[in-house]
Amino acid sequence: MSNTTSLPAWPPALTQEQQAKILLLASTYALSRGFTLLPPSPTNPPTSAIPAPLSLCPTPFPRDLYDLAVRIQPAYNALYVNITKDVEFLDRVMGGVVSKVDEFQGELWRCWKECREDLVQPLQLGLFRSDYLLHEAQEQGQPLELKQVEFNTISSSFGALSELAGKLHNYLRASTNYFATSSLLSDPANYPPNDSLRSLALGLAEGWKAYGKDDARILFVCQEGERNVFDQRWLEWELLETHGIHVIRHNFDEIPQFARLGDSSKRELLITDPLQPSAPESEIAVVYYRAGYTPTDYPSKQQWSTRLMLERSNAIKCPSLALQLAGAKKVQQVLAEPGMLEEFLLRGDGQHEFSARDVEELRQTFTGLYPMDDSQLGKEAYRLAMEEPEKFVLKPQREGGGNNIYRTDIPPFLRKLEAEPTAPGEPPKKEGYILMSLIEPPQGLRNLLVKGGSLTANEGEVISELGVYGVSLFSDKEKGCVVNRGAGTLLRTKGRESDEGGVAVGYSVVDSVVLV
Ligand code: ADP
Ligand code: MG
Ligand code: MG
């Protein structure tokens, strides 16, 4: 399993004129093929788009570690499905201290607790993304390792743009000779096929099919002001063109105006078309969230009651409240405790029996994960965070990028947290965080990064984060999954000096792998 290939110096030399030509080809390809974002402050309707952030060359990635990441995805899916079904576990891990110190997670958990005894739809759908960085051990001569950053269970984005990035890089290879100086870049066999758009859309279609009503639709719950709309539209078009399924888009604030639950005990989710109010309502088979993962999506009680209404409906939720809770960083940390992986993975997924070997493969992708509580391990973590902060990142229970505390920012941040008053009997605020060892990606890789259609001045080293998508359709009432599979990959690349990694938040570009 270990990798012995070292990564080449990167990228191959390109003259300024060649770079300019590739940029022109990439930009026109991006704009015409929908590898795009809305510009800052878009109009409604939009009158322009910009190329999504991209790299001009794909980035080398060790073939064996890529294959490993793809191969273990069904086991990771099964792990998170089994956690989602374990009410007692989620109550202990998320309903305990975390729900008391983290208002957002607390609200998610209370919302779930309020409705979970009275749900009509046993099926749930997960469109996941497990994110990894390559890790190079300090000691010389050690093989590169694959280390998990996090496992996303809600709003895993960039599936469409990622498939397009792979096509764009293949097009650049095929349409010029500029990649010919690199045997790695010039060989099409090094560009793995990636069908993340088609595979994620198929996942939504599988949920829709399981619902079993031919004229039912899929509801996309979106954020107001979203600039990454094309990534979402591609899924809509794929659902319509390949599967004949209609999508309705709404943000949280619109839903109460147009949606209601049916009168029967089935509680169908019914949506009126505001432009055709007298037409029959549409029944919703699947609710797909590209919103709802961050506190700003719930500015008032209104959005929480909308979430609760959707959860109580007969539509299949992608994800359910329980599945969203299972994706919390606190759960990731608890999974690193002895015996936890065995406990959840060995329950299987209804199709595969997972073995001790699978447990070991997943465990090897873990890096140091610590609680910030008063357990023995928590106390040790606190000491490490204060004395050797440059080795760690401190994470709150948040999604969407830009929330973590890095390195030497950790000690003053922890001191400030501790100085904040807590109500008598309330746990300390720091228990809403986890501490994680920093993964150290290999040195020496550069790339040509394009943002807003222009080459960035960044000539420094880059770091790439591999995401592996997964799809699981499963029932609360039955063991295992109806569907459990991998669903393609994403590579995001950022300047080494930036700690954070989101494309939407402006740190990274969408890239693709060239396998070494
Ligand atoms: P989010 O859910 O907000 O995306 P992440 O856990 O993915 O949170 O952290 C955001 C970014 O921070 C990642 O994309 C990665 O670039 C960086 N990061 C997170 N954890 C680590 C780690 N252990 N080592 C190195 N970088 C990390
Ligand atoms: Mg995340
Ligand atoms: Mg992330």
Side-chain angles (χ1 to χ4, degrees):
M1 181 200 311
S2 65
N3 169 267
T4 45
T5 323
S6 60
L7 296 174
W10 205 253
L14 292 166
T15 65
Q16 291 230 323
E17 290 76 14
Q18 287 173 339
Q19 288 180 19
K21 178 70 184 293
I22 294 183
L23 176 60
L24 173 70
L25 294 178
S27 299
T28 46
Y29 186 100
L31 287 169
S32 60
R33 300 289 176 99
F35 181 86
T36 43
L37 295 182
L38 287 178
S41 317
T43 54
N44 185 14
T47 51
S48 62
I50 60 171
L54 64 104
S55 63
L56 285 193
C57 294
T59 294
F61 201 95
R63 192 180 296 266
D64 55 354
L65 296 182
Y66 182 85
D67 290 346
L68 172 69
V70 169
R71 182 159 47 82
I72 62 179
Q73 188 62 29
Y76 261 123
N77 296 344
L79 179 66
Y80 278 87
V81 165
N82 290 341
I83 288 168
T84 303
K85 292 183 189 185
D86 197 316
V87 176
E88 220 174 284
F89 175 82
L90 282 180
D91 275 357
R92 176 167 73 76
V93 174
M94 297 306 293
V97 171
V98 171
S99 76
K100 297 197 177 76
V101 292
D102 188 307
E103 208 182 315
F104 178 63
Q105 296 293 340
E107 209 51 54
L108 277 175
W109 179 74
R110 282 186 291 275
C111 207
W112 176 52
K113 190 157 183 271
E114 193 178 326
C115 65
R116 70 191 186 196
E117 303 298 331
D118 178 33
L119 295 176
V120 283
Q121 177 55 258
L123 288 169
Q124 309 186 27
L125 180 65
L127 297 191
F128 304 134
R129 201 186 65 223
S130 183
D131 290 335
Y132 304 91
L133 289 168
L134 292 173
H135 178 67
E136 185 165 42
Q138 299 283 298
E139 310 82 59
Q140 289 250 312
Q142 289 293 319
L144 291 174
E145 294 171 285
L146 183 77
K147 292 291 179 186
Q148 188 181 52
V149 173
E150 63 156 347
F151 190 89
N152 294 290
T153 60
I154 182 164
S155 300
S156 304
S157 56
F158 292 107
L161 295 193
S162 174
E163 185 174 318
L164 286 169
K167 289 186 173 149
L168 186 148
H169 286 142
N170 250 305
Y171 159 71
L172 295 176
R173 176 193 56 75
S175 64
T176 70
N177 281 328
Y178 306 155
F179 288 177
T181 53
S182 157
S183 56
L184 194 59
L185 267 187
S186 56
D187 185 352
N190 298 330
Y191 295 64
N194 180 32
D195 64 350
S196 43
L197 161 62
R198 276 168 296 158
S199 197
L200 292 171
L202 176 64
L204 289 165
E206 285 165 328
W208 175 87
K209 196 152 183 242
Y211 188 85
K213 191 157 191 284
D214 284 350
D215 61 353
R217 301 187 171 205
I218 294 182
L219 173 66
F220 280 26
V221 183
C222 304
Q223 288 177 331
E224 188 62 32
E226 172 72 76
R227 288 179 58 210
N228 189 24
V229 287
F230 300 102
D231 189 55
Q232 302 173 355
R233 290 287 184 190
W234 274 111
L235 287 170
E236 291 184 27
W237 300 326
E238 176 68 13
L239 284 166
L240 188 62
E241 290 164 8
T242 304
H243 304 282
I245 302 169
H246 286 255
V247 167
I248 299 176
R249 293 170 70 87
H250 278 305
N251 61 38
F252 263 112
D253 288 345
E254 292 165 338
I255 291 170
Q257 300 170 49
F258 308 123
R260 69 178 183 97
L261 299 187
D263 303 323
S264 77
S265 59
K266 260 186 79 188
R267 280 190 238 142
E268 302 91 342
L269 179 59
L270 301 169
I271 304 243
T272 312
D273 179 350
L275 304 181
Q276 256 185 314
S278 56
E281 295 161 302
S282 303
E283 185 168 338
I284 300 297
V286 177
V287 179
Y288 174 50
Y289 289 98
R290 291 293 289 257
Y293 54 84
T294 177
T296 51
D297 289 334
Y298 305 83
S300 72
K301 287 228 167 352
Q302 166 88 65
Q303 293 76 20
W304 285 112
S305 69
T306 301
R307 180 83 194 255
L308 188 59
M309 174 186 81
L310 297 175
E311 194 75 11
R312 293 182 67 248
S313 80
N314 192 39
I316 296 170
K317 271 70 64 180
C318 177
S320 66
L321 285 162
L323 188 48
Q324 181 173 355
L325 283 164
K329 296 188 168 68
K330 183 67 192 174
V331 169
Q332 184 187 8
Q333 176 261 304
V334 172
L335 280 174
E337 291 173 2
M340 282 299 174
L341 270 180
E342 286 84 347
E343 166 77 37
F344 285 103
L345 190 62
L346 298 182
R347 292 179 193 178
D349 74 347
Q351 298 159 25
H352 314 86
E353 290 300 319
F354 294 108
S355 65
R357 184 163 171 266
D358 298 296
V359 168
E360 231 14 74
E361 277 191 333
L362 295 204
R363 201 187 323 276
Q364 286 190 9
T365 66
F366 287 10
T367 185
L369 287 155
Y370 308 90
M372 291 305 282
D373 56 19
D374 62 1
S375 65
Q376 203 53 40
L377 188 60
K379 285 181 184 145
E380 175 62 7
Y382 184 85
R383 187 188 65 75
L384 286 169
M386 297 308 261
E387 291 177 10
E388 303 172 34
E390 63 287 347
K391 293 184 181 155
F392 297 98
V393 49
L394 184 70
K395 297 189 180 184
Q397 309 303 314
R398 287 288 168 277
E399 295 300 327
N403 300 300
N404 298 337
I405 299 101
Y406 294 89
R407 301 187 171 88
T408 50
D409 289 345
I410 298 173
F413 182 87
L414 282 176
R415 277 194 287 269
K416 194 164 148 265
L417 266 190
E418 285 173 311
E420 282 176 23
T422 42
E426 287 286 291
K429 287 249 169 33
K430 71 175 189 323
E431 299 199 14
Y433 292 74
I434 64 161
L435 188 73
M436 187 173 184
S437 302
L438 278 170
I439 305 163
E440 300 290 350
Q443 316 257 347
L445 295 175
R446 292 179 164 74
N447 209 325
L448 298 158
L449 310 185
V450 179
K451 291 187 184 175
S454 309
L455 260 181
T456 62
N458 182 338
E459 291 185 350
E461 294 199 358
V462 296
I463 288 172
S464 297
E465 185 167 338
L466 178 72
V468 182
Y469 295 100
V471 173
S472 288
L473 178 66
F474 58 99
S475 165
D476 295 337
K477 305 257 181 305
E478 282 153 44
K479 210 170 155 266
C481 302
V482 184
V483 173
N484 178 14
R485 56 180 169 79
T489 63
L490 164 72
L491 195 74
R492 289 174 297 170
T493 293
K494 63 174 183 178
R496 195 176 186 101
E497 71 294 340
S498 155
D499 281 319
E500 279 286 333
V503 176
V505 277
Y507 305 110
S508 309
V509 305
V510 183
D511 195 350
S512 74
V513 295
V514 55
L515 297 179
V516 186

